[in-house]
């Protein structure tokens, strides 16, 4: 009986404290929310400061980028080589694109004045037999609703030179499928994508903006992956030949020992 009374007493005490515990929990959560709101304000301020600094240094970098572009113009096929040596962007240039890229004189990436609102990528070409334009610009504008507006210079192809699917119309009888990869197919694609997995234009633009543009010399100087593979194969074959020659020499030595 004593045990029963003690048990009832504990249950009773738990019931009386339940409301008090719930009240303390609510207060803790409310205080936690206030702290999180304060942290969000600080994070927003930090983001704004980072953007201000980025804008400042964009202005400082601009003259050097201009000087770099002038110097690059004196190096034959610089941008073509840099693109082809890039592990992802290289796959975007088919044979016809590569011929056109020989006329690419400079590339520029420029953030909008409000850095977080978007950027543009400009491709400057020398006069060439493929299109009338010497300046092609693709612009990405980030809208408030979270979507991206994409615009691109309409390419004025010269007669018989247009590359709608990445292959010149001169190549009759050897046209590629419409799904074939081409730089100019990507450049001209400004349609809004519904499938988040189908945002190739964003991926390509971001690679150019954040990877290739900051230091294209890294890729211009890098070894062609195909050539590197061939060199490895040749080195492997040479090593194998050396091993075979060594084994033959050992066999000859053994024969000499037996004769003695």
């Amino acid at each position: 009986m004593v045990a029963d009374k003690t048990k009832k007493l504990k249950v009773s005490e738990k019931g009386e404290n339940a409301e008090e515990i719930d009240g303390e929990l609510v207060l803790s959560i409310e205080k936690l929310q206030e702290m999180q709101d304060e942290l969000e304000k600080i994070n927003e301020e930090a983001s704004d400061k980072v953007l201000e600094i980025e804008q400042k240094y964009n202005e400082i970098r601009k003259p050097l980028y201009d000087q770099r572009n002038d110097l690059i113009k004196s190096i034959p096929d610089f941008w073509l080589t840099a693109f082809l040596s890039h592990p992802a962007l290289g796959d975007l240039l088919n044979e016809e694109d590569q011929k056109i890229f020989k006329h690419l004189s400079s590339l520029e990436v420029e953030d909008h004045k409000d850095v977080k609102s978007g950027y543009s990528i400009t491709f400057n070409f020398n006069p060439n037999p493929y299109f009338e334009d010497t300046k092609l610009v693709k612009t990405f504008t980030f809208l408030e609703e979270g979507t991206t507006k994409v615009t691109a210079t309409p390419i004025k192809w010269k007669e018989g030179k247009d590359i709608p699917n990445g292959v010149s119309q001169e190549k009759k009888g050897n046209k590629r499928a419409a799904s074939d990869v081409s730089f100019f197919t990507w450049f001209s694609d400004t349609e809004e994508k519904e499938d988040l997995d189908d945002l190739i234009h964003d991926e390509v633009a971001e690679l150019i903006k954040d990877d290739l543009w900051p230091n294209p010399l890294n890729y211009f100087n890098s070894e062609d992956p195909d050539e590197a593979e061939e060199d490895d194969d040749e080195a492997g074959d040479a090593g194998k030949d050396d091993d075979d020659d060594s084994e033959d020499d050992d066999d000859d030595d053994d024969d000499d020992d037996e004769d003695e």
Side-chain angles (χ1 to χ4, degrees), residues 105-124:
S105 61
S106 67
L107 184 154
E108 299 172 19
V109 175
E110 189 172 1
D111 287 309
H112 293 177
K113 286 187 177 180
D114 179 4
V115 175
K116 62 183 178 182
S117 67
Y119 60 93
S120 62
I121 305 175
T122 301
F123 302 87
N124 294 300

Side-chain angles (χ1 to χ4, degrees), residues 65 68 78-79 82-83 85-90 107 109 119 121 202-220 222:
Y65 279 140
R68 187 183 74 178
F78 180 90
W79 288 110
F83 262 82
S85 299
H86 192 282
L89 296 175
L107 184 154
V109 175
Y119 60 93
I121 305 175
D202 286 333
E203 294 172 4
V204 171
E206 287 170 6
L207 282 172
I208 294 173
K209 177 180 181 289
D210 299 327
D211 192 17
L212 180 67
W213 169 248
N215 191 353
L217 192 60
N218 277 341
Y219 295 103
F220 180 79
S222 71

Side-chain angles (χ1 to χ4, degrees), residues 3 17 26 93 111 132 144 153 224 232 259:
N17 292 333
V26 170
L93 299 185
D111 287 309
E132 302 290 346
E144 291 184 0
T153 305
D224 187 315
D232 289 341
D259 291 339

Side-chain angles (χ1 to χ4, degrees), residues 180-245:
D180 231 16
V181 175
S182 166
F183 168 83
F184 293 98
T185 302
W186 163 77
F187 180 85
S188 300
D189 182 14
T190 59
E191 293 182 6
E192 192 171 312
K193 307 297 182 185
E194 295 181 2
D195 188 352
L196 292 177
D197 293 331
D198 193 22
L199 292 174
I200 185 171
H201 59 84
D202 286 333
E203 294 172 4
V204 171
E206 287 170 6
L207 282 172
I208 294 173
K209 177 180 181 289
D210 299 327
D211 192 17
L212 180 67
W213 169 248
N215 191 353
L217 192 60
N218 277 341
Y219 295 103
F220 180 79
N221 283 334
S222 71
E223 191 173 13
D224 187 315
D226 294 333
E227 291 182 1
E229 187 174 339
E230 290 176 5
D231 291 342
D232 289 341
D233 291 340
E234 290 175 2
D237 292 339
K240 185 177 180 182
D241 291 340
D242 291 341
D243 290 341
D244 292 341
D245 291 340

